[in-house]
């Protein structure tokens, strides 16, 4: 049951409306104000769920989020039950909602979450790529140069990486990933998750880039990329890099810690001690 004066974020189905939770269905019927990323998609969802909404429905998306957050705060101050939903998945995660959460908490209003479907976790589970440690990177930049610049620092990331992408840019993004991460890096492209035409294509980045160039990629896209393999190296080989980073202004201990992360067989303390001796 929704509480008066509480901002509620609710996850909606990422494809199949039958994935809607009982709590979501009840919240849609109880809310005094529903802030929806797309009011037409909300109308289709409540129709599919056979839910009757009685509260006011407000359009709330990236282009008016800042302006309309004030409307949500006013409703909360009046003791209204305010619900935020987006087109699919969890609000805030690559979707509107962050500003409302910050503003509500700053004003002293409680914030709660109705959990539910997640494209990130669904794709990760279906990818066949190690799920124990992963990072969500959202949408890569649209422009090729900026995309390459954004992906470059992730080349040595050892955790599995999850990205969202537009179907129109999937081929270009995979091509950039080949250049940055290498052709042999294991990856998966998940599209239309939980929908009728759900598909998960697995292989190397090189194979996926070829696939994307030769087919018309359609639907909502999630790209999962395996993390980099740890590089075996000796402390003697790394100490010069530590000293160079320290000379550039980084703390010696921090430099040793960061370099040890990406290499097997070398501890941060060992690298730090050796760098100290070399420096002296």
């Amino acid at each position: 049951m929704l509480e008066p004066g509480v901002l509620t974020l609710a996850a909606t189905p990422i494809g199949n409306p039958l994935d809607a939770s009982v709590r979501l269905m009840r919240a849609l019927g109880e809310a005094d104000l529903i802030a929806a990323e797309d009011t037409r998609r909300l109308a289709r969802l409540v129709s599919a769920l056979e839910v009757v909404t009685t509260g006011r429905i407000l359009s709330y998306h990236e282009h008016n989020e800042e302006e309309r957050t004030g409307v949500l705060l006013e409703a909360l101050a009046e003791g209204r039950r305010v619900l935020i939903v987006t087109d699919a998945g969890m609000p805030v995660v690559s979707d509107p909602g962050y500003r409302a959460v910050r503003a509500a908490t700053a004003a002293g209003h409680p914030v709660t979450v109705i959990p539910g479907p997640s494209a990130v976790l669904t794709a990760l589970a279906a990818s066949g790529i190690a799920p124990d440690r992963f990072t969500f990177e959202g949408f890569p930049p649209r422009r090729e140069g900026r995309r390459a610049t954004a992906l470059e620092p992730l080349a040595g990331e050892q955790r599995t990486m999850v990205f969202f992408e537009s179907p129109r840019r999937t081929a270009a993004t995979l091509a950039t990933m080949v250049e940055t991460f290498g052709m042999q890096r294991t990856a998966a492209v998940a599209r239309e998750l939980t929908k009728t035409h759900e598909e998960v294509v697995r292989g190397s980045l090189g194979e996926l880039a070829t696939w994307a160039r030769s087919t018309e990629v359609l639907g909502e896209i999630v790209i999962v990329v395996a993390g980099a393999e740890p590089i075996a190296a000796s402390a003697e080989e790394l100490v010069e890099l530590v000293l160079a980073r320290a000379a550039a202004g980084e703390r010696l201990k921090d430099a040793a810690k960061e370099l040890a992360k990406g290499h097997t067989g070398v501890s941060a303390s060992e690298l730090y001690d050796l760098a100290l001796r070399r420096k002296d």
Side-chain angles (χ1 to χ4, degrees), residues 33-192:
L33 174 61
I34 302 175
E37 184 178 11
D38 186 327
T39 56
R40 293 168 298 180
R41 293 187 67 163
L42 174 63
R44 291 196 293 269
L45 177 62
V46 297
S47 175
L49 299 177
E50 299 181 348
V51 171
V52 177
T53 59
T54 58
R56 175 188 177 191
I57 296 177
L58 179 73
S59 172
Y60 189 73
H61 49 73
E62 62 176 328
H63 301 298
N64 66 14
E65 184 179 5
E66 185 172 0
E67 170 194 347
R68 295 197 169 173
T69 293
V71 178
L72 305 190
L73 287 182
E74 290 176 7
L76 290 170
E78 294 169 359
R80 305 292 184 185
R81 294 168 294 185
V82 179
L83 178 69
I84 295 180
V85 294
T86 55
D87 290 349
M90 181 63 68
V92 179
V93 182
S94 286
D95 275 325
Y98 175 69
R99 284 189 176 91
V101 172
R102 290 292 302 269
T105 54
H109 300 295
V111 176
T112 189
V113 175
I114 297 176
S118 164
V120 174
L121 296 181
T122 302
L124 182 64
S127 69
I129 298 173
D132 50 339
R133 297 175 65 242
F134 70 93
T135 173
F136 174 59
E137 298 297 331
F139 284 91
R142 297 183 180 187
R143 295 184 180 179
E144 183 177 354
R146 292 182 179 179
R147 184 166 58 243
T149 300
L151 293 179
E152 185 62 35
L154 299 176
E157 174 60 68
Q158 295 180 24
R159 294 171 293 182
T160 296
M161 295 169 283
V162 183
F163 302 83
F164 285 165
E165 190 50 284
S166 158
R168 297 187 304 276
R169 294 191 297 273
T170 296
T173 292
L174 288 170
T176 305
M177 288 179 171
V178 166
E179 295 175 1
T180 306
F181 303 146
M183 293 188 63
Q184 300 306 316
R185 184 81 68 92
T186 302
V189 176
R191 69 177 198 89
E192 294 292 86

